[in-house]
Amino acid sequence: MDHSPNLALPFIAQAQAQKHVTHNEALTTLDAVVQIGVLDRDLGEAPASPLEGARYIVGPDATGIWGGRTGQVASYQDGGWLYHVPRGGWLAWIGDEERLVVWHDSAWIDATGLSAGVNATPFVGINAAADTTNRLTVASAATLFDHDTSGGHQHKINKATAGDTASVLFQTAYGGRAEIGTSGDDDLHVKVSADGVAWHEAIVVDRSTGEVSFPNSTIEGGASPTDPVVLNPYLRRPWAKLAAILRGEANARLDVVTFGDSVMPLMREVIEQRLKLEWVNGGIAGRLSGETGFGDDGNGTSITQVTGDFTNSPNGAYWNLASGGSKYFEVGNGFNDNPLPEWHNQVALAPSNCTRVGVWFMRRSGGGTFKVQTSTKTQTETYTDVTGLTAVDTSGATGLVYQEVTVTAVDAARIRFAHVSGGDCYIVGALVAASTGVIFHNWHVGGLAMMDMVASPRFAELAAATPADMIMTSFLDSPGDSSGSTGLTVGEMIDTIIDGIRDAFPATVSPANASAWNGTLADTTPLAARRPSLVLFGANRVSDPGAVDQDAYDAALRANAEANGDCFVDTARIMGAWREAWDLGLMSSGDGPTVSAHPRLFYYGAVATVFLREAGLIGGAFMRPLAQPRHDRVQVGPARPGVEVGGVAFSNRANRFKAGDNTTQFSAGPLDLVGFGDIAAMIQSSGSVFECGLVFNSTAASGRRYLIASQPGGGFLLRDITDGVSRNFIQYSPAQQLNLGANAGDSIFIGPKSQYFTGIRHGTVALTAGQAVVSNANLTGNARVAVTRSARGGTPGVTYEVAPAEGSFTITSRDVSDTIATGDTSTVSYVVLEP
């Protein structure tokens, strides 16, 4: 062997002469290939003036003295080039690239692996030491994971099985404090720890449904922390009916019946408003029992309220209309003592086109006859008999009756009962409704009276007479307060009442029209008859002495709903406990409508909104009118609807919206002025400078102000009033002149009496032998005519002479000698301006 096996260094042979030559050659090779650092690896030709000891990796397709040496290490020694053929594993530092390469498989590649990057490296530590657990360790103030060249970036954490953990762990002093990920299953978990040992689940998101639960949230009531706020919101019947309304099916309506004590009316007010604003402007049920506030129409106290009589009324209350008496109530119950219906019943609920009127009344032996009348919003105190309800006979076998008729569309404001003949008449309530929409039938029953309600012989008659797609109820009860509930637990009372309500209403098929659903719904028996959907609202956390055990109350309602497939709304969990809300200053602990009423409405508004949204009956958290606004009337000013103060009506029933007194006002609505029909808005003023006007004011730094106004005596103007300087852009005068310009000195007047011109005419005419006559009966001798040639032809360089006359003008073409250019046959254009 005459060379070493790896670096191919020459060996000194035995008895060799000039041993120093072989020795120096080996040293030169060591100098060239040990700790290789080359200047470049891309050159295909040797540099012209290399430095002594300079090394290169010969580049691809090398020529000249480097020809055929591609990939070899070329070292410049003693004025010549030495070449070294690399062997597997040789390392070289590329100076111009600042990169370490290795000879592998007949090529120089990155020393960090077989591709550009780190592969199959057991540990990577960046400014820190990695170990077998933390194989990648980074010590840095921040770590950036960026996109490649464009687009996004995903950080993927994969696990082998669902039972493993894929998470992000947050630590303090290397002790776990918070963790987000799929720990132990494929649900998303958010959990926290105070010491890294004991962990508490904060949020769990179900992987299949997306439902969010709060396992360790502090709540009141008997519900499990993982139970949803709205239990079983599968309300097939209301969904189907609302869909029918949106499809525009004839007479499609959603009938909602509400029962409950003083809490439920407030809930119902919000639910009515939200459903009607979000879906359709339907009818509004008359307020039954104690909530119906009758107004005095001058007939004295001839109608009185009777309460506690469950023999004659399903909810224990009715109105006794005595002989000769008559009383009315506002559609939407404008006299209710709850603040919400003071506003929204008039604005949002009362249908502008009432097409149906109904009445609940009691038949009894010796009962009399009454009639039903309505008045409109434009003529509140002028009543018209309702055809079909002019002789309602209440005499007969005892029983509850509902009678409804279709009427010509009317903008109903009041409904009045007038005694016609015979004995007293027992009136339970009335309905004013549109043909299509959300219809509420409200039966205000409080507390223990509900035990008597479901036991009343009239209750089944109510259920049979009142269609119901959804029944909502909320009440508080206490054992032992009446003979009907003596000895019963809260759960037993609730089961008695709720089951009584459920059993009283008949089962019907929903939806009635199956064709739109292709005969199927998400149910094993999609069109089977079933009873209305029940919605049970839970406790409101009133902490008054003697109140029911509200934990037991909620537990019983939830259990009843679960057993029967109905909906339970955990009221307290929607907006916290009543007492907590009181601590925050949102409301008082009182339960009367006059005690902290407005804050309590916000509370119930939140409860109703969450329920409607969770159940899929509305889309958002705030009111949003339909594309066609359904607001019936807006009152501006201190007066109640229809009440005048000092002779000034602050509520305008005809125009719907009115601000101001009768001298200066703004009204919006179908005004029907001077036979022009649906004019949308009107500004009325008796000003002496500008009768009526609108100002557009920009609040930007360089903003301007503009005025559009009518003028006394007639006309209007558009004026720039920035900085107190008036600049008219457009002004229409009483003389029917339209002035275009900044002021009278720089303007153009257009109109029958204008200062400059009233008519503009134009046209073209072909010259014959250099002349043409244009005739028009409207031409005057004072007309101004401008002429241009509009086509080639004739004699170049001519001028045109125009001689206006009464009824015509002549165009003459003249040549340079001022004679008629008879050869000119040009087609010329003309414009005539009349002063």
Side-chain angles (χ1 to χ4, degrees):
M1 179 181 294
D2 56 358
H3 286 77
S4 64
N6 292 319
L7 296 180
L9 302 177
F11 290 151
I12 299 175
Q14 186 174 4
Q16 175 183 328
Q18 293 185 327
K19 295 180 176 64
H20 67 282
V21 175
T22 302
H23 178 67
N24 289 342
E25 180 184 350
L27 292 178
T28 300
T29 300
L30 286 173
D31 183 65
V33 301
V34 175
Q35 299 292 346
I36 303 175
V38 301
L39 299 176
D40 202 308
R41 62 168 173 171
D42 301 316
L43 299 180
E45 187 177 353
S49 302
L51 297 176
E52 181 71 16
R55 289 172 294 182
Y56 297 86
I57 292 177
V58 178
D61 302 322
T63 61
I65 61 175
W66 279 7
R69 303 282 187 176
T70 295
Q72 296 182 15
V73 178
S75 173
Y76 191 73
Q77 300 283 344
D78 299 326
W81 291 98
L82 297 178
Y83 302 98
H84 309 279
V85 179
R87 298 193 178 191
W90 282 23
L91 295 172
W93 175 257
I94 311 300
D96 65 334
E97 299 179 25
E98 296 186 349
R99 183 186 295 272
L100 187 66
V101 297
V102 63
W103 181 261
H104 173 76
D105 199 16
S106 302
W108 292 98
I109 65 172
D110 285 347
T112 54
L114 300 180
S115 62
V118 178
N119 279 321
T121 300
F123 307 110
V124 175
I126 302 177
N127 198 30
D131 55 36
T132 55
T133 300
N134 303 297
R135 293 179 178 270
L136 171 62
T137 303
V138 180
S140 174
T143 304
L144 173 64
F145 293 88
D146 202 355
H147 61 81
D148 187 2
T149 57
S150 64
H153 178 87
Q154 282 187 327
H155 193 124
K156 300 179 180 180
I157 303 177
N158 184 55
K159 61 182 183 180
T161 67
D164 297 327
T165 294
S167 66
V168 178
L169 179 66
F170 301 89
Q171 296 180 317
T172 298
Y174 303 105
R177 294 297 181 267
E179 186 175 6
I180 301 175
T182 55
S183 305
D185 54 36
D186 284 340
D187 293 338
L188 178 63
H189 297 257
V190 178
K191 54 185 180 180
V192 294
S193 174
D195 54 10
V197 177
W199 289 87
H200 309 283
E201 295 269 20
I203 302 173
V204 178
V205 182
D206 187 277
R207 63 187 178 278
S208 300
T209 65
E211 182 178 333
V212 180
S213 60
F214 306 90
N216 285 286
S217 297
T218 302
I219 64 169
E220 293 191 31
S224 169
T226 58
D227 288 334
V229 172
V230 180
L231 172 69
N232 186 28
Y234 181 62
L235 307 174
R236 183 180 71 175
R237 184 189 303 264
W239 288 345
K241 289 300 186 74
L242 289 173
I245 293 172
L246 291 183
R247 288 196 305 269
E249 293 185 10
N251 298 317
R253 70 187 241 186
L254 172 67
D255 286 284
V256 183
V257 175
T258 60
F259 300 103
D261 60 9
S262 57
V263 174
M264 196 60 207
L266 301 181
M267 296 282 290
R268 185 201 64 228
E269 302 291 352
V270 179
I271 292 170
E272 286 179 351
Q273 184 181 18
R274 291 303 308 274
L275 279 176
K276 289 177 182 177
L277 285 176
E278 297 249 355
W279 287 92
V280 69
N281 184 37
I284 177 172
R287 300 301 192 248
L288 309 182
S289 80
E291 284 192 272
T292 304
F294 276 87
D296 186 358
D297 56 6
N299 288 309
T301 58
S302 54
I303 188 168
T304 56
Q305 185 182 27
V306 178
T307 60
D309 184 358
F310 288 92
T311 299
N312 290 300
S313 173
N315 62 346
Y318 58 87
W319 295 87
N320 186 3
L321 181 63
S323 177
S326 64
K327 287 287 174 142
Y328 73 88
F329 68 86
E330 297 275 355
V331 172
N333 190 19
F335 297 101
N336 197 305
D337 58 359
N338 294 330
L340 188 61
E342 286 288 340
W343 177 76
H344 86 75
N345 281 335
Q346 301 296 337
V347 175
L349 295 185
S352 57
N353 291 308
C354 167
T355 57
R356 292 180 292 114
V357 176
V359 59
W360 286 269
F361 61 92
M362 286 300 307
R363 291 195 187 278
R364 63 184 184 87
S365 178
T369 302
F370 71 92
K371 65 180 178 179
V372 180
Q373 300 173 312
T374 60
S375 67
T376 66
K377 297 182 177 69
T378 54
Q379 294 180 303
T380 307
E381 297 180 0
T382 301
Y383 295 95
T384 302
D385 291 347
V386 176
T387 302
L389 297 177
T390 56
V392 181
D393 186 4
T394 67
S395 179
T398 301
L400 179 68
V401 180
Y402 175 69
Q403 187 172 337
E404 180 181 295
V405 296
T406 301
V407 298
T408 303
V410 60
D411 194 15
R414 294 177 180 177
I415 184 169
R416 182 169 74 164
F417 306 110
H419 189 275
V420 175
S421 61
D424 293 352
C425 303
Y426 291 176
I427 299 170
V428 181
L431 170 73
V432 176
S435 296
T436 301
V438 181
I439 315 299
F440 274 77
H441 309 266
N442 306 302
W443 297 76
H444 175 58
V445 181
L448 288 171
M450 296 189 75
M451 292 287 295
D452 298 323
M453 178 191 74
V454 296
S456 168
R458 309 280 81 84
F459 186 65
E461 296 170 351
L462 165 68
T466 304
D469 300 306
M470 181 166 58
I471 300 173
M472 301 181 183
T473 184
S474 174
F475 61 94
L476 297 177
D477 222 321
S478 296
D481 287 347
S482 75
S483 58
S485 61
T486 300
L488 298 181
T489 65
V490 173
E492 290 170 338
M493 282 193 301
I494 285 177
D495 286 343
T496 299
I497 296 170
I498 300 303
D499 290 346
I501 294 174
R502 182 182 292 110
D503 294 341
F505 284 85
T508 58
V509 173
S510 174
N513 179 10
S515 60
W517 300 87
N518 297 320
T520 61
L521 286 173
D523 200 321
T524 55
T525 55
L527 297 178
R530 60 167 293 169
R531 289 183 170 83
S533 302
L534 255 66
V535 180
L536 312 178
F537 287 91
N540 58 14
R541 303 297 161 191
V542 178
S543 300
D544 293 336
V548 68
D549 180 345
Q550 304 212 342
D551 290 345
Y553 169 78
D554 275 352
L557 283 178
R558 179 182 292 273
N560 191 288
E562 289 177 340
N564 294 279
D566 289 318
C567 181
F568 169 71
V569 182
D570 197 333
T571 306
R573 289 179 61 200
I574 288 178
M575 199 180 171
W578 183 289
R579 181 179 296 174
E580 292 171 352
W582 179 82
D583 291 339
L584 292 173
L586 294 179
M587 62 197 73
S588 73
S589 58
D591 195 36
T594 60
V595 181
S596 191
H598 286 82
R600 293 195 318 120
L601 288 174
F602 290 123
Y603 169 66
Y604 287 119
V607 171
T609 295
V610 170
F611 155 66
L612 292 172
R613 186 178 65 246
E614 292 293 322
L617 298 177
I618 63 172
F622 301 98
M623 290 184 301
R624 54 174 181 81
L626 297 174
Q628 296 179 349
R630 303 297 180 175
H631 303 304
D632 186 66
R633 185 177 63 199
V634 174
Q635 172 191 343
V636 178
R640 294 171 68 98
V643 179
E644 294 188 353
V645 177
V648 177
F650 285 85
S651 177
N652 188 310
R653 296 180 186 275
N655 299 343
R656 302 293 190 269
F657 178 89
K658 178 179 176 182
D661 56 23
N662 291 327
T663 302
T664 302
Q665 70 178 41
F666 172 80
S667 299
L671 303 178
D672 193 20
L673 294 175
V674 200
F676 286 100
D678 292 334
I679 296 177
M682 175 183 70
I683 302 175
Q684 174 181 311
S685 174
S686 59
S688 59
V689 179
F690 296 115
E691 290 179 337
C692 294
L694 288 174
V695 173
F696 299 86
N697 183 39
S698 172
T699 58
S702 59
R704 303 191 70 83
R705 302 178 69 189
Y706 298 96
L707 168 68
I708 298 178
S710 60
Q711 306 170 99
F716 70 89
L717 59 82
L718 171 59
R719 173 177 293 184
D720 185 343
I721 57 174
T722 306
D723 302 327
V725 179
S726 296
R727 307 172 186 85
N728 290 346
F729 288 133
I730 299 177
Q731 184 171 4
Y732 184 70
S733 69
Q736 301 180 10
Q737 293 175 329
L738 184 61
N739 177 0
L740 308 178
N743 52 60
D746 302 313
S747 59
I748 299 175
F749 289 89
I750 301 175
K753 299 179 181 180
S754 74
Q755 179 178 351
Y756 296 113
F757 54 81
T758 59
I760 300 176
R761 289 178 292 279
H762 61 86
T764 61
V765 65
L767 299 180
T768 302
Q771 286 190 315
V773 177
V774 178
S775 300
N776 191 304
N778 294 323
L779 289 170
T780 69
N782 296 322
R784 302 291 184 264
V785 183
V787 179
T788 61
R789 186 166 61 188
S790 63
R792 291 184 178 275
T795 303
V798 300
T799 58
Y800 295 106
E801 177 184 77
V802 181
E806 193 76 24
S808 67
F809 62 86
T810 302
I811 302 175
T812 302
S813 175
R814 293 186 180 275
D815 57 22
V816 294
S817 62
D818 201 26
T819 59
I820 297 176
T822 57
D824 190 356
T825 59
S826 300
T827 298
V828 297
S829 297
Y830 62 85
V831 177
V832 181
L833 304 179
E834 289 285 354

